[in-house]
Amino acid sequence: SETSLLAEERSGFRYASDVRGRGPFRPVVSGRVLAVPQIPITLPTLDEVLGRNGATAETFNDQIIRALTPDAANVLCVHAESEGRAHLRSFEALIDRATAGGWRFVPLGELLPADPAALPQRPVERGFVAGRAGAVSVEVRVGGSS
């Protein structure tokens, strides 16, 4: 929410990853450009997909592998209580498949440019994501919403 983005700003975070979007950017909240860049979540989460249209953890893995985009920041949000426990084997299989396919895993901070102030500035608004209960913060693209 706007409140959490402003709290990250006050806390001096180097970056955050709690908005949905397409690539790293600097959020604009209430007309103010924030210093804390977002490395947004770009892929659906397991809990958003599981059970919809008969999806399983294994078909989720297929969906994620198909959604990976070369030369882009592919950011998957994982949950300790889901991928870390109940769906651990499936998550390990996803990591194995991605690695075998030539994908690398890096710390999010490595996705930032040397000068984060050079990132594009994008407004953030509350929006909806298929399968997610309630609104989430989403990057607004120039000429339209997320």
Side-chain angles (χ1 to χ4, degrees):
S1 67
E2 184 173 306
T3 302
S4 66
L5 294 173
L6 293 171
E8 292 165 355
E9 183 84 356
R10 286 189 305 276
S11 298
F13 285 20
R14 183 171 157 236
Y15 63 87
S17 184
D18 46 14
V19 169
R20 295 303 180 94
R22 296 191 180 123
F25 69 97
R26 291 186 53 212
V28 178
V29 173
S30 299
R32 183 174 147 224
V33 180
L34 302 183
V36 178
Q38 281 288 323
I39 303 172
I41 300 162
T42 62
L43 298 164
T45 63
L46 177 62
D47 58 317
E48 292 165 356
V49 174
L50 204 57
R52 288 182 48 223
N53 302 320
T56 65
E58 290 71 30
T59 60
F60 171 76
N61 288 353
D62 295 337
Q63 180 178 344
I64 293 301
I65 294 294
R66 283 192 309 271
L68 294 173
T69 305
D71 302 319
N74 295 283
V75 179
L76 176 66
C77 175
V78 297
H79 302 94
E81 71 279 6
S82 181
E83 291 89 344
R85 299 190 89 192
H87 298 286
L88 180 59
R89 281 190 172 69
S90 180
F91 182 56
E92 290 170 337
L94 175 61
I95 292 170
D96 290 345
R97 284 182 64 189
T99 303
W103 296 96
R104 301 186 303 122
F105 294 86
V106 299
L108 288 176
E110 289 187 18
L111 300 176
L112 289 175
D115 180 11
L119 288 169
Q121 302 170 6
R122 301 244 164 66
V124 173
E125 66 182 19
R126 298 298 281 167
F128 295 91
V129 174
R132 168 78 39 207
V136 296
S137 293
V138 295
E139 166 193 4
V140 178
R141 294 293 229 170
V142 176
S145 60
S146 67

